[in-house]
Amino acid sequence: MTKVLVAYFSRSGTTEELAHQLAARLSAEIDVIRLPSPAYAGVVGYWRGIWHALRHHLPDVACQRDPADYALLVFGSPVWAGRLSAPVRAYLTRFAGHIGPIAAFWVSGSGLAYPALAREIEELTGRVPLATSSFSRREVLEGATGDKLDVLARDIRAHVS
Ligand SMILES: Cc1cc2nc3c(=O)[nH]c(=O)nc-3n(C[C@H](O)[C@H](O)[C@H](O)COP(=O)(O)O)c2cc1C
């Protein structure tokens, strides 16, 4: 079975929840993108997150696994100010030259499609994701993501053997 890594950043738990559900469907390993300091906690952190997303700021991030060791990288990000969250942008910037095929999902308050994130990902990595999916925070909290997750997992599996 091809090795798949699901990496994610999550400030308030919804992307994390989806990452674990997707990893289980794909029998993938999982990694969390962490920050050395709680830069995005609380109200100040919220506004910092918006500012950093808009400014394309790259915070220091840490992770446990090297995505270059995997045949496919799937990553999850919250939507911040209509863009990738700053920690995921930093993660992709760090590993862009070393990764193979990618797939992605993102979670937002509104649940809009946010095609701008797909464009950002292509610009950052030079790769077109094999599959993407957009979720709303509400879907995650209500446990109503099953069908969309199944489709995403199926689309990803179609590219790995
Ligand atoms: C800094 C910040 C900016 C956000 N910007 C947006 C936005 O532009 N559009 C939207 O629909 N939701 C926005 N949200 C809501 C999050 O995308 C949503 O709550 C998501 O579920 C958070 O994922 P998490 O629980 O994994 O951190 C924002 C949240 C934060 C903290």
Side-chain angles (χ1 to χ4, degrees), residues 10-15 46 49-50 78-82 107-110 114 137:
S10 185
R11 176 176 177 268
S12 58
T14 50
T15 312
Y46 176 89
I50 289 184
V79 175
W80 282 4
V107 190
S108 67
S110 64
Y114 287 107
R137 177 177 182 81

Side-chain angles (χ1 to χ4, degrees), residues 73-160:
L73 168 66
V74 187
F75 55 88
S77 175
V79 175
W80 282 4
R83 300 173 188 206
L84 277 176
S85 63
V88 172
R89 170 171 280 274
Y91 177 84
L92 292 179
T93 300
R94 177 162 152 199
F95 290 111
H98 312 281
I99 52 177
I102 56 172
F105 63 93
W106 44 87
V107 190
S108 67
S110 64
L112 293 172
Y114 287 107
L117 268 80
R119 287 197 296 275
E120 269 188 271
I121 290 165
E122 288 181 36
E123 281 169 21
L124 280 170
T125 64
R127 291 183 170 276
V128 179
L130 302 176
T132 61
S133 195
S134 166
F135 296 86
S136 73
R137 177 177 182 81
R138 187 173 175 170
E139 283 175 312
V140 179
L141 295 179
E142 292 181 352
T145 53
D147 289 351
K148 273 163 74 176
L149 263 183
D150 287 343
V151 170
L152 179 61
R154 187 199 64 202
D155 290 350
I156 292 170
R157 263 195 247 105
H159 290 91
V160 295

